[in-house]
Amino acid sequence: MKDTRLIRHSRFILFFGAAFFLLSACAILGSGPTGGDKDVTPPKVLGQNPANGTRNFNQKEIVISFDEYFQLDNPQSEIIMTPNPGGTPKYNIRGKDMEVDLKDVKLDSNTTYTINFGESIKDYNEGNVLDTFQYVFSTGNYLDSLKLQGAASDALTNAAPDKAIAILYKPGQDSAIYKAKPLYYAKVDKDGHFCFRNLPK
C-alpha cells in the first residue's frame, strides 16, 4: 500500500515537473524577439554611375546606388545644383537607386558642377539623414577646386540666420540679384558658416 502511494506520488511529481517545463518553454518562446538596437545609421552609397568626380561628362542620367531603401525629403529646397544650370534636374527613386534625370538640363562646356543633396536623403524606417553628400562632375577635362568660405549673421542681433542661403554672382553684376538667378548657392549652417566648393578661378 505504501509502495503504491509512493509510485502515485512520484508520478504526480514527474507529471508536474514535465508540465512546468512545457509551460516555461512556452513562456520563453512566447516572449518573441526584442527588435535589437535602434537603427541610427544613414543610407550608405554603394556605387555611382558615372563615378563621382567624372571628367568630360556627357551623360543624361546619373544613377546612385544605396545599401538600403531610402526616401527623398523636400528635394526642391534641399538639393542644390551649382552653378545654376539651364533647366531643372529630376530626382527619381527606383528601389535602392536614385536616378538623376538630366534630359531637360543644359550644361555649359568646361564647367564643374556640384549637386549638393543637403538633408534630403533619409533611410526609409528611422529617417536617418545622409548629410553633406555631394556629387561632382565636369564637362571639361579637369575639376575646378577653389573654395570660398565665410560666416553670416543677422545685422541686428548678430545671431546666425535661420535656414539662410549664401549666393554668388559674377563680378560686375551689381543689379543681377534683382534680375537673374545666382550661379552658386551654399547653405548656411546652424552656426552661420557657409562654404562654396569647386569654384573656377
Side-chain angles (χ1 to χ4, degrees), residues 18-160:
F20 178 79
F21 175 80
L22 288 173
L23 288 172
S24 299
C26 289
I28 293 170
L29 290 173
S31 63
T34 61
D37 295 333
K38 182 180 179 181
D39 179 15
V40 294
T41 306
K44 179 182 178 182
V45 176
L46 295 181
Q48 299 159 92
N49 185 26
N52 204 338
T54 292
R55 297 168 176 81
N56 297 310
F57 182 94
N58 61 359
Q59 305 297 311
K60 289 297 181 182
E61 183 181 74
I62 301 165
V63 178
I64 303 172
S65 302
F66 296 90
D67 66 337
E68 61 179 314
Y69 293 104
F70 65 97
Q71 56 185 318
L72 283 180
D73 184 22
N74 203 12
Q76 292 81 10
S77 61
E78 285 291 334
I79 304 177
I80 298 175
M81 183 172 179
T82 58
N84 194 23
T88 304
K90 296 181 178 67
Y91 303 93
N92 305 309
I93 297 176
R94 299 282 186 271
K96 297 180 182 179
D97 294 342
M98 183 197 313
E99 297 174 357
V100 182
D101 185 348
L102 300 173
K103 294 183 180 67
D104 298 327
V105 175
K106 183 182 181 302
L107 301 176
D108 292 331
S109 59
N110 299 314
T111 302
T112 298
Y113 287 92
T114 300
I115 304 176
N116 188 331
F117 289 91
E119 297 182 356
S120 65
I121 302 173
K122 300 181 177 181
D123 68 20
Y124 197 79
N125 293 320
E126 299 294 341
N128 298 308
V129 177
L130 176 61
D131 201 10
T132 69
F133 173 59
Q134 294 182 328
Y135 181 91
V136 182
F137 65 91
S138 174
T139 55
N141 57 12
Y142 63 90
L143 291 171
D144 292 322
S145 58
L146 297 183
K147 69 178 182 179
L148 175 65
Q149 58 189 5
S153 62
D154 187 291
L156 296 177
T157 66
N158 207 36

Side-chain angles (χ1 to χ4, degrees), residues 145-151 166-168 186 194-199:
S145 58
L146 297 183
K147 69 178 182 179
L148 175 65
Q149 58 189 5
I167 55 179
L168 277 182
F194 62 86
C195 184
F196 298 94
R197 291 182 173 84
N198 301 107
L199 296 176

